[in-house]
Structures are given as structure tokens and as C-alpha cells.
């Protein structure tokens, strides 16, 4: 990407030259499958909540999931098969561009594979590779209706069989009983990774992950808990036989496998959301710029242009942060675990920005945004699911807070992380180690990249706010009572998130040669968003006098530049008619 390239994904012109030939072919074949299917059929399938069986047939024929989701060690000599977070991100963006249900079918397959690829169970891993090659999908059996995704508690219980019994002699070690809830692909998955606990062992030592088959007679599919194309199942295991070859993890290792799966598996929430809002943006600008109101195009109104420029700059920022996060994921190691911060950022901050974008565009489209012949209406209905698919935003912001002290005050030297689009297998994902020590993770100094871009007016002004946050924590830090008040601390977490968001945006802007005007416009909204959270902090009943004084001093006004705004608007309006899905 250069400063003159269009910044949004366009299926009509997409050619990811940085990927290998087979990856390019599969990405373009996926686009062609959707385009050939046509917009009318795509929207009808969504309206009728049609299960994505035809899509899964395409996946089977092209061995799409097999190519993208099989680690090289289990590729059976196929040099195209690997786990490559860069191309997985590109595929997620394409899926999001055409429909959340298609993205979701892959997303929960990734989650289901997590405990398998992390395990030492060679039988299970060979079966997973073979099943993917055969076009099968996977499921992640963690959540329960009464516990949600609380991995400290599970009511799905494994009861050991008695030595000498017929079961035991037949190789059945346990009988599993219990229900799972919110389990995507649970209707068809050939391997369902199921989290459970042993009836005879208390605490973490009793945790067990095992693989189940959704077509087994002791697996009872109870139904889909949503009315969507996505099959978000609930199922019950009744005396389900569990053999040694089914067991993936036991004890504390099982706990770590759950968290580490989420670290990898839910990362692509960001790119799925990017694709959704990009398609919506094309529809919005093409409609608004050709709609005449009071004798003028709607886009002549200043507030309409303001909404579009804001939405556009937010989409670009979502892409910049998400793409840069890929580099950190792919370069991760036991010595560099910075991805543990960027993961909840992609799940909460990036996806929440998608909601903001859709609201901005809907305020322009008004009634048009609800029409059944628009992809916009589908996205508008579903965009708020992404920040809430895993414990809602506050869970992820709470996680982000664990990294704040080291990030702001205790930097560490790391080798520079470059753009990672190479055709490498990301093997570290399956050997992340114990899921603990988030508070000990250190980061490179975040200030140089802000100082490097201090010639961009709004970057410099936002950097003042970032430094102000550090001063708050040095001189008016939350007291003991405030630290126990999650409502108060979440506001601090949102302020901190903006600093992290800005860092990776600036890094990616430098790597890609982002247009300076767009970068300045991005930090215009960064300043405004920071002001919003500062104002929220000001209104908290427990805010101290020192914190109130800090809040007033931390407010900044974005530096307005009419010529810059007009140049960014020229980029926005150039998307009028640039893409429309085939009928």
C-alpha cells in the first residue's frame, strides 16, 4: 500500500501480490464464489437464516480451511498448508465483507482447532488434519448457559469407568454428561473440543479437554439458540464415551489451553469487522452522493461530509491497527508476549469502532439503512455482536488494564518487528506456555513513534493527552477503593486503549506510507474520543479533587484544517460507485 492507493478493500481490484500464488488464488476464488452467488441470494439467505451448507461445499472443494488452518507439521507434504496469521486475516476480512455467518463458520473452526493443535495427542491432530482435508469443520465446546465462558466452572462432568467393567475393557475411560451452550458449528462439527471436569478430582487438576463427534449417538443436538444463518448450538452429552485417543489436555494445562486458544482464535474478530464496515461504506457513499435533497446531493451538507470523513478515517484506523497487530502475533515468542495486549485490543477496541462507524453512516442513510435489499441493513443488525462474542468489552478492557503499568512506565528493548507477510508457519501459537504472567509482560518504549510523527498537528496534540495519562497515574493515581471499582477503572482502561491504538496506527502508517492528511484526521477523532472518556471520568462520583483538576487540564481541541478535511473528503467521495456487488 502506498499513499496513493485506495485504502479500502475492493473485490473488483483486489490482488494481494504479497502472498504466494496459491494463497492469492484461493483468496480470489473465495471472492468470486460470493460475487457469482450474487447479492440478492446472499441477502435472501441471511433473511431466511439459511445454514451455510453451500459455502461449506465450496470450502470442501477448494480445501480452503485445510490450506489455511493446518499447521505445516500436519500438512502431509503440502507446502501450501500452514497456519499463517497474515493470510488468515485477509481471509477473515473477505468473509466479513460478504457475511458474518461465513466468517463465523471459520471462526469457530479455528477455536475448535486450538485445543487440538496445542495438544500432545498425535491421533487427534492427524484426525483434525484429515478432517479438514475432507472439508469438515470444528467446534469449541467451552461455554455453558449457566456459566458463560467462565472457564473456572463447568458442569460437564467426566465420570471414570470402573476397572474391569465392560466400558473399561472396551477402552472407554470416562462417560461424559452435561450440556454446552453458544457452540458454533455444533450441528455438524466432526471434532468438538469439549471442556469438562472429572467427577473424582477437585479444582484445576480435574480439568479435561476432549474431542467429541457431533454425529455420535450420545451427542444430542438440542437446537440453535439464535435465528441466524450461524448455527450457535446447544447440545447435551449423555453417557458419551471418552477414550484415551479423545483426550487433549488435563489439569492446569487444560486451563491454559482454553485461554491460549482464545488468544489465537478470537484475534480475527477485528478483520471480520473491518470487512463488514467496508462493504457498508461502499453502499453508503454511493447512495448518499447520488441522492438529491432540496435540489442538492445529500453530500453537500457539511454534517454529512463530517460523518463520512469520520467514518472513513475510523475504518482506515481499524485496518492499520489490525494489520500491525498481525506482525506482533507472528513475531511472538516466550520472550516477546506483547500480543497478549494487542489481542484484547483487537477484540474490544477495533470491533467497537465498527459500531461507531455504522452509527455514523446510519445517521446519514436514515431509512435507507434499514432496507432489505442492502448489505448495510444486515451489518447494522449484526455489527454489535463482535465486541460481545467473548465476554463483552468490559472483560477485554479489564484484561488490557493489566498491561498498563509496564507499558507506560517500564519499557524494554526488543528487536524491531517488521511487516510479516512472509509465507511462514506460525508454530508458536500452539506452544504459548502457561496462561499467566500478563502483568509481567514488557513493551518497547511507546513514545518514540509519537515523537517521530509530532510534525502532524493532531498527532502532537494527542501525544500531549497520552503524556497526561501517564501524569495522572504518577500524581493522582486511582486509590485503593477506586482500583476495586471496575466502573471507574474501565474508564482508565479506555483512555489507555487509545494510547495503544495510536501507537500501532502510527507504526503501520510509517510502514505503509499512509497519506498524511488521513493520519491527521485519524488523530482528530482520537483527541475527541480521549476527551469523551476524560469527561466520563470527571463525572464519576468517586473522582478525587486532584483527578478533577487533571481531567480539565487533559482536554484538548483537535486542530481544524479545512483544506485537509476537503482533501480527505475527496478520497471519500472517490469511492462513489467504485464497488457494487453483482446482482
Amino acid at each position: 500500500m502506498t499513499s496513493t492507493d485506495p485504502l479500502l478493500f475492493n473485490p473488483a481490484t483486489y490482488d494481494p501480490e504479497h502472498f504466494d500464488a496459491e494463497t492469492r488464488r484461493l483468496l480470489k476464488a473465495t471472492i468470486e464464489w460470493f460475487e457469482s452467488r450474487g447479492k440478492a441470494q446472499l441477502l435472501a439467505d441471511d433473511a431466511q437464516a439459511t445454514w451455510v451448507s453451500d459455502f461449506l461445499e465450496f470450502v470442501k472443494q477448494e480445501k480452503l480451511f485445510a490450506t489455511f488452518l493446518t499447521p505445516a507439521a500436519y500438512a502431509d507434504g503440502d507446502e501450501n498448508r500452514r497456519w499463517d496469521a497474515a493470510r488468515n486475516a485477509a481471509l477473515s476480512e473477505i468473509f466479513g465483507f460478504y457475511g458474518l455467518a461465513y466468517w463465523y463458520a471459520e471462526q469457530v473452526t479455528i477455536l475448535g482447532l486450538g485445543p487440538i493443535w496445542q495438544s500432545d495427542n498425535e491421533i487427534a491432530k492427524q484426525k483434525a488434519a484429515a478432517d479438514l482435508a475432507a472439508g469438515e469443520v470444528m467446534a469449541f465446546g467451552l461455554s455453558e448457559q449457566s456459566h458463560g465462558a467462565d472457564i473456572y466452572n463447568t458442569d460437564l462432568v467426566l465420570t471414570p469407568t470402573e476397572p474391569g467393567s465392560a466400558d473399561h475393557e472396551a477402552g472407554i475411560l470416562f462417560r461424559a454428561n452435561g450440556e454446552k451452550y453458544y457452540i458454533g458449528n455444533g450441528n455438524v462439527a466432526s471434532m468438538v473440543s469439549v471442556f469438562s471436569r472429572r467427577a473424582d478430582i477437585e479444582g484445576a487438576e480435574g480439568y479435561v479437554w476432549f474431542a467429541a463427534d457431533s454425529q455420535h449417538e450420545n451427542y444430542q443436538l438440542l437446537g440453535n439458540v439464535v435465528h441466524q444463518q450461524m448455527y450457535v448450538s446447544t447440545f447435551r452429552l449423555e453417557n458419551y464415551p471418552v477414550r484415551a485417543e479423545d483426550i487433549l489436555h488435563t489439569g492446569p494445562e487444560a486451563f491454559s489451553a482454553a485461554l491460549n486458544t482464545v488468544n489465537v482464535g478470537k484475534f480475527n474478530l477485528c478483520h471480520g469487522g473491518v470487512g463488514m464496515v467496508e462493504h457498508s461504506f461502499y453502499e453508503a457513499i454511493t447512495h448518499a452522493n447520488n441522492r438529491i435533497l432540496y435540489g442538492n446531493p445529500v453530500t453537500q451538507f457539511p454534517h454529512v461530509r463530517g460523518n463520512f470523513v469520520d467514518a472513513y478515517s475510523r475504518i482506515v484506523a481499524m485496518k492499520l491497527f489490525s494489520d500491525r497487530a498481525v506482525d506482533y502475533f507472528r513475531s511472538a515468542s516466550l520472550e516477546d508476549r506483547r500480543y497478549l495486549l494487542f489481542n484484547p485490543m483487537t477484540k474490544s477496541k477495533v470491533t467497537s469502532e465498527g459500531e461507531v462507524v455504522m452509527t455514523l453512516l446510519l445517521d446519514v442513510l436514515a431509512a435507507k439503512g434499514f432496507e432489505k435489499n442492502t448489505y448495510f441493513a444486515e451489518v447494522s443488525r449484526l455489527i454489535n455482536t463482535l465486541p460481545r462474542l467473548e465476554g463483552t468489552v468490559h472483560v477485554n478492557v479489564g484484561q488490557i488494564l493489566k498491561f498498563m503499568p509496564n507499558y507506560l512506565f517500564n519499557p524494554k528493548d526488543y528487536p524491531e518487528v517488521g511487516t510479516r507477510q512472509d509465507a511462514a508457519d506460525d508454530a508458536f501459537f500452539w506452544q504459548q506456555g502457561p496462561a499467566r504472567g500478563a502483568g509481567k509482560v514488557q513493551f518497547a518504549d511507546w513514545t518514540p513513534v509519537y515523537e517521530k510523527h509530532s510534525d502532524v498537528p493532531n498527532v502532537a496534540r494527542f501525544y500531549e493527552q497520552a503524556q497526561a495519562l501517564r501524569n495522572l497515574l504518577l500524581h493522582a493515581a486511582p486509590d485503593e477503593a477506586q482500583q476495586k471499582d471496575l466502573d471507574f477503572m474501565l474508564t482508565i482502561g479506555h483512555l489507555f486503549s487509545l494510547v495503544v491504538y495510536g501507537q500501532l496506527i502510527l507504526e503501520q502508517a510509517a510502514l505503509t506510507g499512509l497519506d498524511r492528511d488521513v493520519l491527521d484526521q485519524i488523530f482528530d477523532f482520537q483527541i475527541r474520543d480521549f476527551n469523551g472518556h476524560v469527561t466520563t471520568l470527571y463525572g464519576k462520583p468517586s473522582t478525587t479533587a486532584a483527578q478533577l483538576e487533571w481531567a480539565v487540564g487533559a482536554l484538548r481541541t483537535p486542530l481544524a484544517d479545512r483544506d485537509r478535511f476537503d482533501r480527505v473528503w475527496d478520497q471519500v467521495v472517490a469511492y462513489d460507485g467504485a464497488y457494487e456487488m453483482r446482482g
Side-chain angles (χ1 to χ4, degrees), residues 8 75 90 93 216 221 301 308 329 341 377 379 444 448 473 509 539 550 582:
L8 305 188
E93 185 176 358
H216 193 282
L221 182 66
F301 293 101
F308 269 116
F329 267 76
L341 168 59
V379 174
L473 299 177
W550 172 88
R582 295 180 219 162

Side-chain angles (χ1 to χ4, degrees), residues 458 461 465 524 527-528 531 554-560:
N458 282 314
R461 188 153 286 191
Q465 294 183 306
D524 179 289
I527 293 167
R528 288 183 276 119
N531 288 344
L555 294 173
R556 295 290 187 277
T557 301
L559 290 162

Side-chain angles (χ1 to χ4, degrees), residues 367-379:
K368 180 68 178 180
F370 300 98
E371 291 185 9
K372 65 182 181 181
N373 65 341
T374 65
Y375 184 64
F376 190 99
E378 179 181 332
V379 174

Side-chain angles (χ1 to χ4, degrees), residues 3 67 100 142 306 352 359 387 401 420 428 510 546 564:
S3 60
T67 302
L100 185 65
L142 177 63
S352 294
T359 300
L401 280 165
R420 290 294 312 278
F428 174 72
R564 180 200 72 222

Side-chain angles (χ1 to χ4, degrees), residues 313-387:
S313 59
R314 287 179 187 271
I315 296 172
V316 174
M318 291 168 69
K319 294 192 68 155
L320 292 167
F321 183 92
S322 301
D323 288 348
R324 183 58 175 150
V326 168
D327 301 333
Y328 285 97
F329 267 76
R330 302 197 72 195
S331 302
S333 67
L334 291 175
E335 292 72 41
D336 183 355
R337 303 173 74 205
R338 288 177 284 178
Y339 71 102
L340 293 176
L341 168 59
F342 304 138
N343 180 51
M345 283 287 299
T346 58
K347 291 186 294 181
S348 60
K349 177 61 180 171
V350 177
T351 57
S352 294
E353 283 294 289
E355 291 186 275
V356 176
V357 167
M358 291 304 294
T359 300
L360 287 165
L361 297 177
L362 186 58
D363 285 346
V364 172
L365 293 190
K368 180 68 178 180
F370 300 98
E371 291 185 9
K372 65 182 181 181
N373 65 341
T374 65
Y375 184 64
F376 190 99
E378 179 181 332
V379 174
S380 187
R381 188 181 78 248
L382 295 173
I383 193 67
N384 59 4
T385 63
L386 292 179

Side-chain angles (χ1 to χ4, degrees), residues 171-248:
I172 298 172
L173 301 184
F174 303 96
R175 287 286 180 171
N177 288 277
E179 293 185 10
K180 292 291 180 179
Y181 205 76
Y182 298 132
I183 312 303
N185 290 355
N187 55 328
V188 297
S190 67
M191 299 179 76
V192 183
S193 294
V194 180
F195 188 67
S196 63
R197 61 180 174 87
R198 289 181 56 157
D200 58 330
I201 300 178
E202 293 292 328
E205 293 296 333
Y207 293 144
V208 178
W209 276 104
F210 68 94
D213 179 0
S214 70
Q215 307 307 303
H216 193 282
E217 61 183 0
N218 295 71
Y219 180 109
Q220 295 191 3
L221 182 66
L222 303 179
N224 190 350
V225 303
V226 300
H227 182 69
Q228 300 285 350
Q229 285 186 273
M230 299 170 283
Y231 205 106
V232 187
S233 75
T234 177
F235 66 81
R236 178 188 300 122
L237 299 183
E238 289 194 356
N239 292 320
Y240 187 96
V242 179
R243 295 173 167 82
E245 58 265 33
D246 302 321
I247 295 174
L248 304 172

Side-chain angles (χ1 to χ4, degrees), residues 65-301:
F65 290 176
T67 302
F68 278 67
L69 305 182
T70 307
Y74 296 91
D76 195 27
D78 186 341
E79 62 182 14
N80 293 309
R81 297 185 192 182
R82 63 182 183 275
W83 198 287
D84 176 338
R87 67 177 188 174
N88 284 353
L91 186 62
S92 287
E93 185 176 358
I94 292 169
F95 287 156
F97 193 91
Y98 290 107
L100 185 65
Y102 309 100
W103 171 89
Y104 185 73
E106 188 211 26
Q107 167 72 15
V108 290
T109 295
I110 290 173
L111 289 170
L113 288 166
I116 298 171
W117 295 143
Q118 290 179 70
S119 77
D120 294 326
N121 186 330
E122 289 298 317
I123 294 175
K125 289 195 277 192
Q126 293 292 348
K127 174 174 167 42
D131 284 359
L132 287 172
E136 302 288 351
V137 295
M138 310 297 167
F140 186 59
L142 177 63
S143 298
E144 297 175 12
Q145 188 170 19
S146 57
H147 300 301
D150 176 4
I151 62 176
Y152 293 95
N153 294 287
T154 176
D155 292 331
L156 199 143
V157 177
L158 298 183
T159 302
T161 58
E162 293 292 335
S165 66
D167 270 356
H168 205 76
E169 293 299 316
I172 298 172
L173 301 184
F174 303 96
R175 287 286 180 171
N177 288 277
E179 293 185 10
K180 292 291 180 179
Y181 205 76
Y182 298 132
I183 312 303
N185 290 355
N187 55 328
V188 297
S190 67
M191 299 179 76
V192 183
S193 294
V194 180
F195 188 67
S196 63
R197 61 180 174 87
R198 289 181 56 157
D200 58 330
I201 300 178
E202 293 292 328
E205 293 296 333
Y207 293 144
V208 178
W209 276 104
F210 68 94
D213 179 0
S214 70
Q215 307 307 303
H216 193 282
E217 61 183 0
N218 295 71
Y219 180 109
Q220 295 191 3
L221 182 66
L222 303 179
N224 190 350
V225 303
V226 300
H227 182 69
Q228 300 285 350
Q229 285 186 273
M230 299 170 283
Y231 205 106
V232 187
S233 75
T234 177
F235 66 81
R236 178 188 300 122
L237 299 183
E238 289 194 356
N239 292 320
Y240 187 96
V242 179
R243 295 173 167 82
E245 58 265 33
D246 302 321
I247 295 174
L248 304 172
H249 303 272
T250 61
E253 180 188 308
F255 179 87
S256 291
L259 291 180
N260 290 339
T261 292
V262 170
N263 288 341
V264 177
K266 298 218 172 181
F267 169 67
N268 286 326
L269 284 159
C270 57
H271 288 95
V274 167
M276 293 170 74
V277 297
E278 284 175 317
H279 195 157
S280 301
F281 181 87
Y282 281 112
E283 286 191 334
I285 188 61
T286 299
H287 170 76
N289 202 47
N290 292 278
R291 178 168 171 75
I292 305 300
L293 192 63
Y294 306 121
N296 293 297
V298 168
T299 49
Q300 290 292 326
F301 293 101

Side-chain angles (χ1 to χ4, degrees), residues 388-459:
R388 297 168 180 85
L389 280 175
E390 195 243 334
T392 72
V393 169
H394 64 256
V395 171
N396 286 292
V397 175
Q399 178 73 10
I400 287 165
L401 280 165
K402 296 178 182 179
F403 301 96
M404 184 168 66
N406 272 347
Y407 180 95
L408 291 176
F409 300 109
N410 187 25
K412 174 184 174 181
D413 289 332
Y414 286 96
E416 185 173 345
V417 173
T419 301
R420 290 294 312 278
Q421 294 174 334
D422 47 304
D425 184 65
D426 298 331
F428 174 72
F429 290 164
W430 320 122
Q431 45 190 317
Q432 295 177 61
R436 59 175 180 265
K440 296 180 180 179
V441 176
Q442 290 179 268
F443 300 83
D445 189 350
W446 57 278
T447 60
V449 72
Y450 278 99
E451 292 168 356
K452 176 182 177 181
H453 291 87
S454 60
D455 61 319
V456 180
N458 282 314
V459 173

